[in-house]
Amino acid sequence: MRVFSPSKIYLYSRLKVASMMSNNRFLLLYGSQTGQAQAIAEEIHQYANNHGLEADIHCLSQTEKKFNIVDEKLAVIVVSTTGDGDPPDTAVKFWRRLKKKTLPDDHLKHLKFTVLGLGDSNYTSFCKNGKNFDKRFEQLGGTRFYPSGFADDGVGLEIVVEPWIEGLWAALRKELNLDCQQTNTNSNTQTDTVSTDFQNLQIQNSKIIPSELTNGDLTEKDSSSSQISDFKISESDEGRTDSEPTNKRTDATKASSSNDIEENLTNQNAVTKNITANDISSTKTLSNSSANNSNDSTKETATNEIVQNKDVCEHDREQPISMTVSNDKTFGASNIEPEPKKSLISSCPPLSESSLTLPPLPPVYLTISYHPEQTVDLSKLPLHGGVAFPSATSPVVMATVQSAQRLTRNDAVKTCLKIELDISNTGIEYNPGDSIGVVCQNNTDEVNFLINRLSIQDKVDIPMTVQLLENTKKKRAQVPEFVPKNCTLRHALLMTFDLRTPPKKAFIRLLAEYTNTESEKRRLKELCSRQGSEDYEQFIRFESISIIDLLVAFPSCNPPIERMLEMLPRLQARPYSVSSSPLVDPGKLEFAFNIIEIPHGNGRHDNRQGVCTGWMNKLTSHLHNNERSQEDIQMPIFARTNTSFRLPDDVTRPLILIGPGTGVAPFIGFLQHRYHQRQQQESIKFGETWLFFGCRHRNRDYIFRDTIEQFESNGTLSKLCVSFSRDGEVNTPRYVQDSMKLHQDDLGKLVLERNAIIYVCGDAKNMARDVNNAWTEIIAKYINGSEEEAKTVLRKMRDEKQYLEDIWT
């Protein structure tokens, strides 16, 4: 235990008090599971000084060590949601203390706060943790000084995050009674007047949310508290959709810092309060911007750069022009109407002719020291420097692959593999419903391509260390902990950095600085600009464009490897549900997955497989014909947290299992477990077990078919309901929700009278929502009530862990 002397404690207290008495200080807290919330908080911290503010930033895990929320007057909290609406691991202690029922209603009466919650609307518990924080602060007497925001990773966090941060600066300065026109830019930038166009940002109960998440159930109140800075509250039901949904996850998000908000964030048919901008014009004069690659990248851009463009970009004129010909015939030129075509590498008016508002240029902070005189044994390096992965409950261990079996026919649309691992000497223990994390590596061909593309072939196999750049302007700069202290660039690129996640706007902004061809530079700036947000969503996020795709598409872009390492996120482990029971063999663990196939096109320069599924496919390819491994194939794995997706202790309680496709995998473990429990406890009457399974074709991708039908025949399964969406059978259910509706009376009785537990596993974006809607119909009919009454019942079931989900995007 570390003991501080009274003098040190006194000095710390004096310094802390002095800091808190600063007239421009605010507390900035973050709770992050995978790094997104932390990255956004650090972005706010980085640029606070440019607005004359001092951000005192801490992780929520440091509660009562580095900060005490009771003593604070002004706080900004950035927090994500994980699991089934749970707080991230770093926020658990803070939330546990905050939700104590013994706290008085005025516990935080001196606190003015705002919350930025991160979530994914593909999940039912969208931003639940952020909303819980927001609600609890208010319950304890806190006052919301700025509308809380809830960003949706399903359509792009930046759609809410960027304008939320832009409005935050003025709200903070107003709350601290600072002159809104006086800012410390720490550069030669001169700011004249500031424009704040916070257009059509949805406000509900003083919270900012993506408008597509609004519905008629929500009511408006406290509209007076929604007025911030000089923003004007007005009634409006007009809006537009600025982005398309995507099912790709993102990592660390860099929030833009600008004074010009030009995003339109609403969808049509959402009737809510809107923040609209006063007609304030602005002019920004910038200097020291974009002179040359290496020099400019060391200068911190304090405010957004305004890029003027008087002409259409060169590459726009070079692209093929799509023509519309009347009557489907070819006529003279006078009958041909050109249709401008935009793509990843080209734009068209009005964007190609617009001035651009760019995010700040990220400050440089890393350098690489090479040690040719040293040698390093890469096989002995700890994976990811020994840094734990999010949600891990065990260290990373090496499991031995025993077998790898293909579960689908060769003519199936998707290829499903089942892998069996020997975990007998790993120390990992598990229960049905648990999941493991698989620590994968990047595709070797992609790594080699990147090495050649960046012309670093002569450096990649030399021992090196990544270090902080002296005198960097980046606040809280630190070397990525997941990079081993002494390794090689090839090892770092292959094992630790994510090369597939679509680059954030800040990354693209940096790439533009190292692009020589003006047309390519212009297009990259468009893609990261405020005005090019739709193009970013359409051509980068939606198409899952990787950093390698961008380097192929923009050949004159040649960033230094140091700058790349500053922006590349950590390569995360992939979670997979266990499909076995330790009652069968405690030293064996099985899991199943589909190999993700991603075609080339739309900016993707080649065909590719998923990072982890492709790696596991290649690793085990010689075993797919039911062969046993003749040599040890090692796979790094770890155990993951599981708070509720498990069988109940009460074996008499009925179970309803819904898992189409690979979503059935954990239920194979459930059924194995129940079978062995029944053998061990023959005198007990077990509760009914229903399984709803679906796939495309009965004879192509009905995975685990023999096993499932065996469980039905031996009585472990009380009822098996299958559906096949592409077989074209008449008068048969196509999807699991169709099967559910055929048995709605029995299901209603099981759930509402016999307290059956519902388990749903599989796709979050479509299946989970459709199943939830089916349950709403079933419950409404059974209770002879309205849809709203049925939804209330479902919410109660979720809260009481009677409705459990293990779903993914």
Side-chain angles (χ1 to χ4, degrees), residues 155-183:
V155 296
L157 293 173
E158 62 278 355
I159 292 176
V160 165
V161 169
E162 290 180 0
W164 188 87
I165 291 177
E166 300 313 325
L168 177 65
W169 305 125
L172 284 166
R173 290 184 61 82
K174 180 179 180 181
E175 198 60 43
L176 292 166
N177 296 316
L178 300 176
D179 178 8
C180 290
Q181 296 301 322
Q182 181 182 351
T183 60

Side-chain angles (χ1 to χ4, degrees), residues 78 153 162 168 222 267 320 352 374 393 506 580 696:
V78 185
D153 200 17
E162 290 180 0
L168 177 65
D222 299 333
N267 279 345
S352 62
Q374 298 180 6
T393 59
S580 56
R696 288 178 174 83

